[in-house]
Amino acid sequence: MRKILTVLTALIILPFASFAKDPEVRLDIVPYPQSVEIGKGSVKIAGAQFYCDPRLDSLSRVTVASLAGKLSLVTGKISTNVIGISSTIAPPQKGFVFLFDKAMEDEEYSISATAKCITVKASSSNGFLYAVQTIKQMLPTAVYGRKMAVSEDWSIPVCEIKDKPRFKYRGMHLDCARHFFPVEEVKRYLDIMAVHKLNRFHWHLSDDQGWRIEIKNYPRLTEIGAYRSGTMIGKDFGSNDGIVYGGYYTQAQIKEVVKYAAGLGITVIPEIDLPGHMLGALSAYPQMGCTGGPYEVWTKWGVSNAVLCPGKEDTFYFLEGVLTEVMEIFPSEYIHIGGDECPKDHWKTCPDCQKRIAELGLKSDDKHSAEDYLQNYVTSRIQAFLGNKGRKIIGWDEILEGNLSEGATVMSWRGVDGGIQAAKMGFDAIMTPNTYCYFDYCQALKSENENEPLNIGGELPIEKVYGYEPFDGMDENSAKHILGVQANLWTEYIEEPEHLEYMLLPRMAALSEIQWCDQSRKDFERFKTAIDHEFKIYDTLGYTYSKVIKGIHGYKN
């Protein structure tokens, strides 16, 4: 620890201040900062001094240390001298100076680069993280690498940057239920989220096709529910390759991911989808269903009509037990409880469900059936249980069907209407419309789709992603309830990590500008110019990405 703290205040004294001849400097930063002023000249950073304000928290210090270590590696200039800053000494006039500024908002930061000094200010660890990401994007992309690159121009332009995000919730979703991705790939997913300043990772961990999280009090969930007997071939719903497929994350592995994400400024939000999309769980504990089974983890895509039975009290005992362990693993304020695509055929004929409906006095009306209101009861009961533990729920927009309890947050996926409706009703909402934010859709137009890897269908080119405006169709009061924007990546047809990354990138870059930039700061022509720099970052980090924007198709090209 003492060695780390020494690096945090490392001083390397080398010549500074090299002025550029051409004042017309373009910054290829994604997402683009809210305010940028570029001056004349540039600042050499090879051998730069690093100073830390003593008020910085431990994560902020680690962030500074990481930048210092990375620059030492890639520039070949090693730290040898040590100087600290006390609260009574004025900041030095050379090198990097990282200062705590309590007047700044959470996640806000500023960078002031003069001929000799680069001053970074923020009030939170995330603010310093984002400042460092911006600095790295102004440098040669070799800064993302693991080897020395002394021939690069290790300088940044003289500039003034003031920046903060438009939305506090900037999310990305990953479905690990249809196809399972190992911890190391999940970490790579988080790494590239951090580059683009995203701060929420929505982890879809259960579905009809597999249960992916260890629950110690219900071991059969992973012994049986985590494995299916095969997988449909291509889009032939009557087929089965006969190959047993599955996997799950231990609680220790999940805690490792949560800790890793926190170091990147990312909160992990788990999803346990209920009461539908539960065939993985029912295959392990059939008594929780209306018919009692037998059930089998689904080998095809789509939605099973086998769902949890809310007429049985044991179902709620089961859900509360599962969610108790989930809360012990995930410290996030929010728990996602799904609520989407819940067929109610079995509820209509289940004696237990009908008895519950009668006891609750639920009636069909011209808007919803009694069974719809029964699902509403499930949502409200789970919301109350989690609320008593200090947590909040997020649910897909189907949870609006009925009488939603105060305090729930709606995730709008069936277009934008669910989010607009929720906001009008006074509920917080997160916009994840499939029309703009479903990254399992093809990146090419339909006429070019045949050259793309197998996908679920539809088309979502990067231009359309970039063009999304979350406040469209909303009045000012409704807009206040929009927490942010998220893109979803479902994996029915995505098994290989390379395919996963290909569907994600570079659309995540476009997503990041929706989430971060005020509408007036978005500019697709500027973004297209910056995309070449993004590609170089992806290349240095070893990511697979789509080049459809360049007219090149296929992730193996």
Side-chain angles (χ1 to χ4, degrees):
M1 179 59 72
R2 187 174 298 170
K3 183 179 292 185
I4 292 176
L5 293 176
T6 297
V7 174
L8 291 170
T9 54
L11 168 64
I12 318 165
I13 302 176
L14 283 176
F16 247 72
S18 171
F19 289 89
K21 295 179 180 179
D22 185 0
E24 298 298 324
V25 179
R26 187 185 77 237
L27 299 183
D28 291 329
I29 300 172
V30 177
Y32 200 69
Q34 302 292 10
S35 174
V36 177
E37 294 181 10
I38 302 175
K40 295 182 179 181
S42 61
V43 188
K44 292 288 185 181
I45 55 86
Q49 304 168 2
F50 277 84
Y51 300 89
C52 264
D53 188 322
R55 294 172 293 176
L56 267 62
D57 61 23
S58 59
L59 179 54
S60 300
R61 294 176 185 177
V62 170
T63 298
V64 176
S66 178
L67 178 62
K70 176 62 74 169
L71 293 180
S72 293
L73 170 65
V74 297
T75 66
K77 305 297 184 181
I78 308 300
S79 171
T80 57
N81 206 350
V82 178
I83 288 183
I85 295 179
S86 74
S87 58
T88 59
I89 300 175
Q93 300 301 308
K94 279 189 176 183
F96 281 96
V97 179
F98 289 82
L99 299 178
F100 176 81
D101 186 346
K102 66 179 181 179
M104 286 188 163
E105 297 177 17
D106 185 41
E107 299 194 309
E108 183 180 6
Y109 71 91
S110 68
I111 301 170
S112 177
T114 66
K116 292 185 177 181
C117 189
I118 302 168
T119 302
V120 177
K121 295 181 180 180
S123 65
S124 67
S125 57
N126 273 23
F128 287 109
L129 279 167
Y130 303 145
V132 167
Q133 290 293 354
T134 295
I135 289 168
K136 289 173 70 174
Q137 287 201 39
M138 288 192 282
L139 292 169
T141 55
V143 74
Y144 294 93
R146 299 181 179 180
K147 58 184 179 180
M148 193 182 304
V150 293
S151 62
E152 297 282 1
D153 177 13
W154 292 109
S155 65
I156 65 173
V158 169
C159 62
E160 294 282 340
I161 294 175
K162 296 179 181 179
D163 201 12
K164 62 181 179 180
R166 181 185 188 187
F167 293 107
K168 66 180 181 180
Y169 185 108
R170 303 182 303 283
M172 191 66 223
H173 154 287
L174 177 60
D175 167 23
C176 289
R178 274 49 173 252
H179 279 107
F180 177 78
F181 294 92
V183 166
E184 290 309 309
E185 182 61 24
V186 174
K187 287 182 177 179
R188 279 176 58 80
Y189 204 85
L190 293 165
D191 287 341
I192 202 63
M193 285 178 59
V195 170
H196 294 98
K197 301 185 176 79
L198 277 66
N199 66 355
R200 297 291 188 274
F201 175 53
H202 173 178
W203 204 357
H204 187 78
L205 291 166
S206 66
D207 219 296
D208 292 326
Q209 293 81 10
W211 184 280
R212 304 293 177 220
I213 173 173
E214 177 190 24
I215 302 297
K216 293 182 178 179
N217 283 324
Y218 292 95
R220 289 167 62 87
L221 286 171
T222 46
E223 291 171 0
I224 295 174
Y227 299 91
R228 56 180 181 256
S229 62
T231 304
M232 61 179 279
I233 302 169
K235 296 192 176 182
D236 181 358
F237 282 81
S239 66
N240 186 330
D241 63 14
I243 302 171
V244 175
Y245 181 89
Y248 66 91
Y249 305 102
T250 66
Q251 292 193 6
Q253 287 175 319
I254 291 175
K255 289 177 181 178
E256 177 187 343
V257 170
V258 169
K259 181 179 180 181
Y260 186 84
L264 299 173
I266 297 170
T267 299
V268 183
I269 298 174
E271 181 185 356
I272 304 297
D273 205 345
L274 63 96
H277 288 285
M278 268 283 179
L279 193 52
L282 290 174
S283 66
Y285 296 95
Q287 66 271 28
M288 303 300 171
C290 292
T291 68
Y295 303 104
E296 183 181 355
V297 181
W298 241 21
T299 60
K300 58 184 178 180
W301 315 132
V303 181
S304 169
N305 65 358
V307 301
L308 292 176
C309 177
K312 298 174 180 176
E313 197 62 24
D314 281 351
T315 298
F316 292 96
Y317 181 79
F318 166 76
L319 288 174
E320 290 175 3
V322 168
L323 291 171
T324 295
E325 292 195 35
V326 168
M327 286 187 284
E328 290 170 353
I329 306 168
F330 294 93
S332 56
E333 178 185 18
Y334 288 102
I335 304 292
H336 202 302
I337 63 167
D340 63 314
E341 298 177 324
C342 180
K344 300 170 179 65
D345 299 346
H346 289 180
W347 291 2
K348 293 177 181 179
T349 59
C350 172
D352 293 313
C353 288
Q354 292 303 308
K355 181 180 178 182
R356 178 81 76 180
I357 286 172
E359 291 173 346
L360 294 171
L362 304 178
K363 305 290 184 181
S364 298
D365 54 33
D366 58 350
K367 292 184 178 180
H368 302 290
S369 68
E371 288 74 24
D372 288 333
Y373 288 114
L374 181 60
Q375 180 174 350
N376 211 218
Y377 166 75
V378 176
T379 302
S380 296
R381 186 162 169 178
I382 296 302
Q383 180 181 355
F385 171 75
L386 292 172
N388 288 335
K389 308 291 185 180
R391 306 300 182 96
K392 298 179 180 179
I393 67 163
I394 300 175
W396 300 110
D397 54 57
E398 285 94 333
I399 67 174
L400 284 167
E401 297 169 0
N403 300 312
L404 186 60
S405 298
E406 183 180 353
T409 296
V410 175
M411 187 166 274
S412 183
W413 75 274
R414 295 177 297 178
V416 300
D417 291 346
I420 294 172
Q421 179 188 354
K424 283 183 178 179
M425 295 170 65
F427 292 102
D428 287 342
I430 299 162
M431 303 304 288
T432 67
N434 58 350
T435 43
Y436 296 97
C437 296
Y438 265 42
F439 287 1
D440 52 330
Y441 289 9
C442 186
Q443 301 192 73
L445 300 176
K446 290 180 180 179
S447 60
E448 303 169 325
N449 198 346
E450 63 182 27
N451 298 314
E452 289 292 290
L454 183 66
N455 58 78
I456 201 166
E459 57 181 51
L460 186 58
I462 193 169
E463 296 90 340
K464 187 173 182 180
V465 176
Y466 194 90
Y468 175 49
E469 170 45 46
F471 289 161
D472 280 350
M474 297 183 193
D475 58 30
E476 185 176 346
N477 287 332
S478 295
K480 294 177 182 177
H481 286 285
I482 303 304
L483 300 182
V485 180
Q486 173 178 293
N488 298 332
L489 186 42
W490 303 100
T491 62
E492 286 93 334
Y493 299 99
I494 302 170
E495 183 175 2
E496 299 173 339
E498 294 82 5
H499 190 178
L500 179 74
E501 294 170 6
Y502 180 87
M503 301 302 286
L504 181 68
L505 302 172
R507 288 188 289 195
M508 180 188 280
L511 170 71
S512 74
E513 296 227 339
I514 301 168
Q515 298 168 330
W516 188 276
C517 302
D518 288 342
Q519 187 177 14
S520 62
R521 299 295 290 173
K522 289 176 60 184
D523 180 345
F524 189 65
E525 291 305 313
R526 184 260 307 152
F527 176 81
K528 280 199 304 183
T529 301
I531 207 69
D532 288 334
H533 187 72
E534 290 294 298
F535 286 175
K536 290 178 182 178
I537 293 174
Y538 302 158
D539 286 335
T540 303
L541 291 171
Y543 284 88
T544 302
Y545 57 93
S546 170
K547 300 175 186 174
V548 169
I549 195 171
K550 300 291 187 181
I552 302 172
H553 295 269
Y555 70 94
K556 296 184 179 179
N557 293 332

